[in-house]
Amino acid sequence: MSSNEPSHPAVLSVLQRAGALSSRQRALLFMLRSALWLVVLVPVLMVADVLIHFTDTLRLAGALGMALAAVAILGTAAVIAFFVRPPLLRTARLLESRNPALGSKLVNILQLEADSNSHDAEPLTRELARRAVADAENALDLPALPPLAREPQIPRRALHAFVALALVGLLSLFGGHYVHQEWLRFLDPYGDHPAFSLTHLEILKPADGDKVLYGASFNVEVRATGHQPRELFITAKPVDDASPPVTLPMSARGDGTFVAHLENIRSRLEITAHTADDGSRSHHHLLDLILTPQIGATLVRITPPEYTAQKARELPYRFTAVQALEGSRIDFKISSNRPLGPGKILLESGDDPPSNIALAPVADGPAETAAANFTADRSGRLTFSLVDAAGNAAIENPTASLTVTQDLPPAIAITVPEKDALAIEGLTVPIKVDASDDYGLRSLRLHIAVNDVFLPMQEVAFDTNDTRRHRMEYSLDFAKIGAKPTDQIRIFAEAIDTRPEAQITRTASRKLEVITEEDYNNRLREKVDVAMIAGKYEAMLKRLEEAIAAQKRIEDKLAALREKMAAKPDDEQTLEEFSKAYAEQLQLNERLEQMSDDMAKFGRDNPVYDFEKDLNEKLAKQAQAIRESVAKNREQGEQALEKGQAPPATPNEDMVKGMEQAAREQRERLQGGSDRAKEEIEAPLQDLAQLHELMKDFNRFQQLTEEQRELAEQTKAYQDKPQLNAEDRLALRDLGARQRELAPKLDQLEKKLRHDAEAGKEKFPEAAASADELADQMESADMPGLARQAAKSMLEGKAGDSHAQADNLHEEMNKLFEDAGQEGQQGVAQGFDRALTLQHRGMKGGDSLRQMMMSKNFRPLPGEGGNGGGLGGEMASSMMDGEPQLLGGESLMDGPIASAIAGMGDEGGTGTPGAPTARLDQGDGSDVDQQSARRTSTPQGTTLLLNYENIADAYFRRLTTKP
């Protein structure tokens, strides 16, 4: 090496290495010191958060600050360690300070090194300096110099940092929930990490995984432990949209729990419970949604076709059966909790292909409502499919049946007359046609033909379409149309409905045959008896009795008022009570006048029985007496009221006394007339009715004799047959059943004869004796036994015995009828004369006896049952099946007389005594509804036995007849 080249002593390299080591040591020491402060800052921040409750932003800033500080420390340390080198002189002094034995050698070496390289020094000087440096290097322990650059504080600083870090770590590990929570609050500042509070809030509902229906409500429950808050709130924050959160107050239950109600939930909600100052809050709970659409309130609207004129009906619908008229429009409106999309209603009907009916959202309505409509033209099953706007389908697909009804044809019937009838000449027959239609009548038409020549049609047309029922009434005046006896009148009616393709219904023809009055009376006489005729007279006399009772009540009121006025002359109620009594008297007088008019016009000119003419004359006289009594009562009343004032403002005692006297005198006059009427009308009717019962008993015996004759003649057809075939035995058993039915009829008649004889022996001894004699002879001959014996032979198929026994019974009955019957009829005639002439002031019977003999209305004894279709027996009613109705204006009703004859006294009978209970017709045009003349007898023991025997016979014939 030349003397001019600079030298590089080894000591310089050692100093450089020592400087690098010193920089790394300084960097490490800086890191340890900074780490200690960072570790200490962590609990300080946590404590500050516990006390101040940093916001999420502040916690984020703190966490970021700590992280940035750590990064800055690491960066600074790295720069110091790798890029910062202390000057050699500083390093030499550091080493000399660390090892006093070095003295100032290292500094001197650096000075000599500088001199050796200085260009201003002499070459010799530089050479000497280099030699001095070399000598100094040789004297130094160079490898021991770099370790002297290590920082002695690093172990202590490391221990401090470790201890602090360990303490924080231990605190974090074992500090419990709140320490963990604080770490989470800084590590996850925007997470669900409530701050420390003495009030702990826990959301009980919703729990994890709880869901609520879209649009439904939910009750949030929160439990507060620790320090109890005065008030609590919940904040519900929508998760799925940017809607603002909603804060609601909660209600305390008193047990540490609070509740709040959330309504119309349409988004997933993050729910947090907190105090008013947000010092305490709960964890967030998520309330999830069920997005499946639910079927809510549903309406169905049924709009009938326009021609029905019916209003549309809108009803809540629960997917039950729907019924609608064909052509009706059916609208369904279904609401849901979700906004709805296009769904459908499937209509399945038999073999027809199914139809899809669109169930679309309502254009101008809520998004949660869908509607569908269709015209009902066929029945089937409806299936509802609901879909929301997001494409979610409802879980339930309800079904319902659809029944499409048809517009039925109208119903029409001729209700008056009820059946084909025989009508008396000159009568005005009321015709009533009742029609109905399920959706409306358009017109009714009545057709009347006389001997197949039609009169002008009677028509009723309806302006409105909603007439569903109508009664058409028409009075058919025989005189006006010129109908004569034997003329045939045919009536039928038609009804047309409002359906566009109109439907018509026509009644069957009702036939009326015009008969003479005499023919009408003769037919009626066969079906009635005096008891039935007496009912109308009894009803009229009962009206008179009721008027007398009303007059007595007025009289009593006036008497009580007079006594009251004598005791309290100034009583304010006097005028009111007197006015009421006066008004009642006026009304009663009007009723009496109406009754007198009815009495004067009572009965027909040609009645059923001739003796009725005398009765009607007596009623006419009674009517005149009633009119005169009313006139006198009015005159006396006007005199009592002083010049006709009605009534005066302040009645005096004399006025009341005068009115009382007028009422008493009228009551006495009416009572006298009633007593006379009972003697002259009711008493002979009662006797005649009792006598008629005896008369009908003989007629009944004659009827049974005729029945037996027919049976004997018919059995003769099988008498001479040596062998009966199956058809013959069947015919003979049928005759046997009829023969057996005759036995209880004979028993019944025998009892009836004795009963009626006992009842009439005092007044009609001759007729009663004949009845007793006939009953004795029937018993002596054992006619019911003979009938049963003959019936047994017939049922057993004994042809010869059957005829002989039946013929024998007929001969016995015929002989008795010729003997006792004729004698009985003579006794009846004598009793009839006595009933009319001797006891009742010479009533004229006329041809009444013959007329009464025509009756076939047999009344069995009470408890014996009936064997006819009418009032207690055969042929009693003109309304029997198969017989035409009789129209002629005759009223028939039961009263006390009929009840007494039936053995029920005044307490019973076939009808209410004195009340209108039967009419053979309504030919007089009366608007008063009367009961039908058809009467059903109550089955008694005998009747039930006969029915059972008939059934047994039919069953026996079925088993024994060869197919």
Side-chain angles (χ1 to χ4, degrees):
M1 175 184 299
S2 67
S3 58
N4 294 327
E5 294 178 358
S7 63
H8 297 285
V11 68
L12 296 180
S13 299
V14 171
L15 288 175
Q16 289 176 349
R17 291 199 304 273
L21 179 60
S22 175
S23 295
R24 291 195 295 272
Q25 289 290 300
R26 285 167 51 206
L28 180 59
L29 185 61
F30 174 76
M31 288 177 59
L32 292 174
R33 289 174 177 172
S34 300
L36 177 61
W37 288 108
L38 284 176
V39 172
V40 171
L41 185 59
V42 168
V44 170
L45 287 174
M46 290 183 177
V47 171
D49 182 53
V50 168
L51 298 176
I52 302 174
H53 290 180
F54 293 152
T55 64
D56 296 344
T57 303
L58 286 176
R59 292 199 308 277
L60 177 60
L64 290 177
M66 293 284 290
L68 291 174
V71 171
I73 291 171
L74 290 175
T76 303
V79 170
I80 294 173
F82 298 105
F83 300 103
V84 176
R85 293 291 182 265
L88 294 179
L89 181 61
R90 183 184 299 175
T91 302
R93 289 176 178 171
L94 175 64
L95 295 177
E96 289 175 348
S97 65
R98 298 281 174 84
N99 187 358
L102 291 176
S104 59
K105 293 178 181 179
L106 296 179
V107 174
N108 293 332
I109 291 173
L110 290 177
Q111 185 64 44
L112 289 174
E113 177 64 21
D115 291 341
S116 67
N117 293 325
S118 174
H119 295 287
D120 295 334
E122 293 295 330
L124 178 60
T125 302
R126 293 197 298 270
E127 182 63 26
L128 291 175
R130 282 194 290 270
R131 288 182 179 181
V133 170
D135 292 338
E137 288 179 350
N138 293 328
L140 293 174
D141 185 7
L142 294 178
L145 293 178
L148 294 176
R150 295 181 181 276
E151 289 289 340
Q153 298 181 9
I154 287 178
R156 184 169 58 85
R157 295 294 181 183
L159 178 61
H160 291 171
F162 176 76
V163 170
L165 185 61
L167 290 175
V168 171
L170 291 174
L171 182 62
S172 299
L173 289 174
F174 303 104
H177 167 74
Y178 294 108
V179 176
H180 298 163
Q181 188 77 0
E182 283 299 323
W183 274 109
L184 293 174
R185 282 175 61 78
F186 282 95
L187 295 176
D188 182 17
Y190 288 101
D192 183 17
H193 311 300
F196 170 79
S197 175
L198 295 177
T199 300
H200 178 66
L201 302 178
E202 180 185 3
I203 296 179
L204 303 178
K205 291 183 180 180
D208 292 338
D210 279 358
K211 295 183 178 182
V212 65
L213 284 173
Y214 183 94
S217 302
F218 191 86
N219 287 328
V220 178
E221 293 184 15
V222 176
R223 179 169 57 201
T225 55
H227 177 71
Q228 290 296 310
R230 294 179 58 186
E231 54 183 358
L232 205 59
F233 299 84
I234 61 166
T235 296
K237 179 182 178 183
V239 177
D240 301 325
D241 53 47
S243 301
V246 176
T247 299
L248 298 175
M250 302 192 75
S251 301
R253 286 180 171 172
D255 58 353
T257 60
F258 295 78
V259 64
H261 185 69
L262 294 175
E263 295 183 345
N264 195 20
I265 302 173
R266 294 176 175 268
S267 174
R268 291 188 302 161
L269 297 177
E270 183 185 77
I271 299 175
T272 307
H274 56 86
T275 55
D277 58 357
D278 286 330
S280 301
R281 79 168 180 87
S282 67
H283 286 284
H284 303 315
H285 273 225
L286 181 65
L287 180 59
D288 209 345
L289 283 178
I290 300 175
L291 299 180
T292 304
Q294 307 293 313
I295 296 178
T298 303
L299 296 175
V300 61
R301 181 181 179 87
I302 302 176
T303 306
E306 185 177 355
Y307 78 86
T308 64
Q310 291 188 5
K311 296 181 179 179
R313 295 177 293 118
E314 186 172 86
L315 303 169
Y317 184 57
R318 295 179 176 83
F319 300 98
T320 54
V322 178
Q323 181 172 311
L325 174 65
E326 182 180 21
S328 297
R329 174 188 167 104
I330 300 180
D331 291 83
F332 288 105
K333 187 177 290 186
I334 303 177
S335 62
S336 178
N337 61 324
R338 292 275 296 157
L340 296 177
K344 68 177 181 179
I345 300 177
L346 182 66
L347 173 59
E348 299 173 289
S349 177
D351 297 333
D352 296 333
S355 301
N356 287 321
I357 303 165
L359 184 61
V362 178
D364 56 349
E368 295 83 2
T369 302
N373 65 80
F374 61 96
T375 300
D377 56 2
R378 54 177 173 153
S379 300
R381 177 168 291 276
L382 299 171
T383 303
F384 298 80
S385 300
L386 202 65
V387 179
D388 68 3
N392 300 314
I395 296 177
E396 55 179 340
N397 293 317
T399 61
S401 62
L402 170 64
T403 303
V404 177
T405 60
Q406 306 293 323
D407 186 348
L408 299 178
I412 186 170
I414 299 176
T415 53
V416 177
E418 297 180 21
K419 58 188 294 186
D420 293 348
L422 301 174
I424 191 171
E425 59 182 327
L427 186 67
T428 298
V429 177
I431 298 175
K432 296 181 181 179
V433 179
D434 288 326
S436 65
D437 187 73
D438 45 3
Y439 292 101
L441 294 167
R442 178 176 298 173
S443 63
L444 291 181
R445 305 194 300 178
L446 177 64
H447 301 271
I448 302 173
V450 180
N451 296 327
D452 292 330
V453 177
F454 281 89
L455 303 178
M457 181 182 67
Q458 305 297 319
E459 182 175 13
V460 177
F462 304 103
D463 298 331
T464 60
N465 292 352
D466 57 350
T467 302
R468 298 193 184 185
R469 296 180 178 275
H470 184 76
R471 166 170 284 188
M472 182 181 183
E473 298 185 2
Y474 179 77
S475 296
L476 181 59
D477 189 343
F478 285 178
K480 187 175 180 180
I481 64 174
K484 301 179 298 297
T486 71
D487 282 350
Q488 302 288 329
I489 300 175
R490 185 157 55 95
I491 304 168
F492 68 91
E494 299 168 334
I496 302 173
D497 67 3
T498 56
R499 186 181 174 195
E501 300 82 18
Q503 303 177 105
I504 186 171
T505 303
R506 184 176 296 105
T507 67
S509 293
R510 185 80 76 240
K511 298 179 179 65
L512 302 178
E513 181 180 350
V514 183
I515 60 176
T516 63
E517 188 172 16
E518 184 59 30
D519 191 12
Y520 170 79
N521 283 341
N522 287 335
R523 291 175 181 271
L524 202 58
R525 288 160 187 156
E526 293 183 0
K527 305 175 189 341
V528 303
D529 55 21
V530 173
M532 295 176 68
I533 293 295
K536 61 184 179 182
Y537 293 95
E538 291 175 298
M540 181 59 71
L541 296 180
K542 185 176 181 180
R543 287 177 61 185
L544 180 57
E545 288 292 333
E546 291 172 350
I548 295 172
Q551 187 65 74
K552 179 68 166 98
R553 288 193 295 271
I554 296 173
E555 178 186 346
D556 293 342
K557 286 183 180 180
L558 291 170
L561 180 60
R562 176 175 51 80
E563 294 174 358
K564 183 178 180 181
M565 290 179 66
K568 297 180 179 180
D570 299 329
D571 194 337
E572 296 180 356
Q573 296 183 351
T574 301
L575 177 60
E576 181 181 356
E577 295 176 6
F578 184 71
S579 298
K580 287 182 178 180
Y582 178 77
E584 290 176 4
Q585 184 65 63
L586 293 180
Q587 293 175 0
L588 177 60
N589 286 339
E590 292 177 358
R591 285 171 52 195
L592 288 169
E593 287 181 330
Q594 180 61 47
M595 183 169 57
S596 66
D597 292 341
D598 294 341
M599 283 183 175
K601 302 173 183 177
F602 195 80
R604 296 183 289 119
D605 293 338
N606 187 13
V608 177
Y609 300 122
D610 286 350
F611 64 76
E612 291 186 69
K613 297 177 182 179
D614 287 343
L615 301 180
N616 294 340
E617 290 178 2
K618 291 179 172 57
L619 281 178
K621 294 179 180 179
Q622 181 65 35
Q624 181 61 31
I626 291 174
R627 283 194 292 268
E628 293 174 356
S629 176
V630 170
K632 187 171 184 179
N633 178 266
R634 285 199 177 111
E635 180 182 354
Q636 291 176 328
E638 290 175 357
Q639 293 175 357
L641 291 175
E642 297 177 353
K643 300 181 181 180
Q645 298 178 8
T650 53
N652 53 48
E653 188 175 351
D654 291 338
M655 294 178 187
V656 176
K657 185 176 181 180
M659 288 292 296
E660 178 191 356
Q661 182 179 356
R664 182 174 58 257
E665 291 180 1
Q666 172 150 286
R667 191 254 309 162
E668 292 173 351
R669 290 192 297 270
L670 294 176
Q671 187 64 58
S674 175
D675 294 342
R676 262 192 323 274
K678 287 182 179 179
E679 181 183 357
E680 296 177 352
I681 298 175
E682 191 172 44
L685 283 173
Q686 188 171 1
D687 291 346
L688 288 171
Q690 192 175 60
L691 179 63
H692 204 183
E693 287 302 305
L694 284 167
M695 187 182 304
K696 291 189 298 179
D697 291 344
F698 290 101
N699 289 347
R700 179 63 169 166
F701 187 80
Q702 183 180 6
Q703 292 175 16
L704 298 181
T705 302
E706 183 61 25
E707 287 184 29
Q708 186 59 41
R709 181 194 62 78
E710 184 176 356
L711 286 171
E713 290 179 352
Q714 291 179 353
T715 55
K716 188 175 182 180
Y718 309 99
Q719 178 184 13
D720 298 329
K721 286 191 175 184
Q723 186 69 30
L724 299 179
N725 57 28
E727 289 77 7
D728 294 337
R729 288 194 297 274
L730 177 62
L732 201 59
R733 280 197 297 272
D734 183 71
L735 291 172
R738 290 169 54 193
Q739 180 68 73
R740 185 172 58 186
E741 290 176 358
L742 192 65
K745 293 179 182 179
L746 290 169
D747 272 332
Q748 189 182 76
L749 178 59
E750 180 184 333
K751 295 176 183 178
K752 184 69 163 46
L753 282 165
R754 296 190 187 281
H755 174 272
D756 294 340
E758 179 65 24
K761 66 181 180 181
E762 180 179 351
K763 294 183 178 180
F764 316 111
E766 297 86 354
S770 298
D772 267 333
E773 183 180 356
L774 179 58
D776 290 341
Q777 293 182 11
M778 289 177 65
E779 182 181 8
S780 176
D782 189 18
M783 290 185 179
L786 294 177
R788 294 187 182 94
Q789 184 178 3
K792 181 179 179 183
S793 298
M794 295 176 192
L795 292 173
E796 292 175 352
K798 298 177 181 179
D801 293 345
S802 297
H803 174 68
Q805 293 166 355
D807 189 60
N808 177 53
L809 177 57
H810 171 252
E811 290 179 357
E812 290 292 332
M813 293 177 69
N814 191 53
K815 181 175 66 174
L816 287 184
F817 179 74
E818 290 178 352
D819 296 339
Q822 296 297 331
E823 182 179 348
Q825 297 294 358
Q826 294 173 3
V828 167
Q830 294 173 2
F832 177 78
D833 291 340
R834 180 180 293 108
L836 294 182
T837 306
L838 299 180
Q839 299 179 13
H840 301 292
R841 303 181 183 179
M843 287 177 59
K844 298 177 181 179
D847 201 20
S848 297
L849 180 60
R850 181 191 63 81
Q851 294 163 353
M852 291 167 59
M853 296 284 278
M854 297 172 64
S855 176
K856 298 178 182 178
N857 180 29
F858 178 70
R859 297 174 184 260
L861 289 174
E864 293 294 328
N867 52 7
L871 179 61
E874 298 180 68
M875 306 295 289
S877 170
S878 65
M879 297 293 290
M880 289 178 58
D881 292 340
E883 289 192 11
Q885 183 179 4
L886 283 176
L887 301 179
E890 185 65 49
S891 295
L892 304 174
M893 59 189 69
D894 287 348
I897 292 177
S899 299
I901 289 177
M904 302 179 192
D906 292 338
E907 300 298 327
T910 54
T912 302
T917 57
R919 281 188 65 95
L920 290 184
D921 58 79
Q922 293 183 351
D924 57 357
S926 173
D927 291 333
V928 179
D929 291 335
Q930 302 283 2
Q931 296 183 22
S932 169
R934 287 178 290 185
R935 309 185 191 184
T936 302
S937 302
T938 302
Q940 303 295 337
T942 305
T943 303
L944 292 175
L945 179 60
L946 291 175
N947 290 339
Y948 175 80
E949 291 175 349
N950 293 337
I951 295 173
D953 287 344
Y955 182 72
F956 177 79
R957 288 195 298 269
R958 180 65 177 172
L959 292 178
T960 56
T961 302
K962 293 182 179 180

